[in-house]
């Protein structure tokens, strides 16, 4: 089953890592789309990074019981 997770963090790398952990996959098993990058100049106007990560994951047995 394909699942998509959107995460926000201080950097793109941190956001990707959070999403991969939630999905339980490695980076090479997922598609990463950067929605918004962590940009700013000397800390001024800095925004957090947002990524959307999609991967094929196995369904949990709990999901099957519902």
């Amino acid at each position: 089953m394909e699942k998509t997770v959107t995460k926000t963090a201080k950097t793109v790398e941190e956001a990707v890592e959070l999403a991969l952990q939630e999905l339980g996959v490695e980076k090479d098993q997922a598609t990463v789309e950067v929605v918004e990058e962590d940009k700013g100049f000397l800390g001024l106007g800095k925004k957090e990074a947002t990524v959307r990560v999609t991967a094929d994951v196995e369904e949990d047995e709990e999901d099957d019981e519902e």
Side-chain angles (χ1 to χ4, degrees), residues 17-33:
E17 187 58 36
L18 289 171
L20 292 173
Q21 287 176 5
E22 183 172 324
L23 291 169
V25 297
E26 298 293 323
K27 191 172 184 178
D28 63 344
Q29 298 171 307
T31 302
V32 177
E33 175 188 351

Side-chain angles (χ1 to χ4, degrees), residues 37-57:
E37 290 195 48
D38 49 327
K39 293 189 176 183
F41 180 71
L42 299 175
L44 301 174
K46 184 154 176 81
K47 293 184 177 182
E48 290 191 323
T50 302
V51 298
R52 185 174 299 122
V53 179
T54 304
D56 281 326
V57 295

Side-chain angles (χ1 to χ4, degrees), residues 3-5 8-9 14-15 17 19 24-25 29 31 33 36 40 43 48-49 51 57 61-63 66:
K3 185 173 179 181
T4 300
V5 174
T8 300
E14 287 179 21
E17 187 58 36
V25 297
Q29 298 171 307
T31 302
E33 175 188 351
E36 186 168 354
E48 290 191 323
V51 298
V57 295
E61 288 182 24
E62 293 176 4
D63 292 341
E66 293 179 10

Side-chain angles (χ1 to χ4, degrees), residues 1-18:
M1 171 177 80
E2 189 172 86
K3 185 173 179 181
T4 300
V5 174
T6 302
K7 291 291 181 183
T8 300
K10 289 184 179 181
T11 66
V12 170
E13 292 80 17
E14 287 179 21
V16 169
E17 187 58 36
L18 289 171

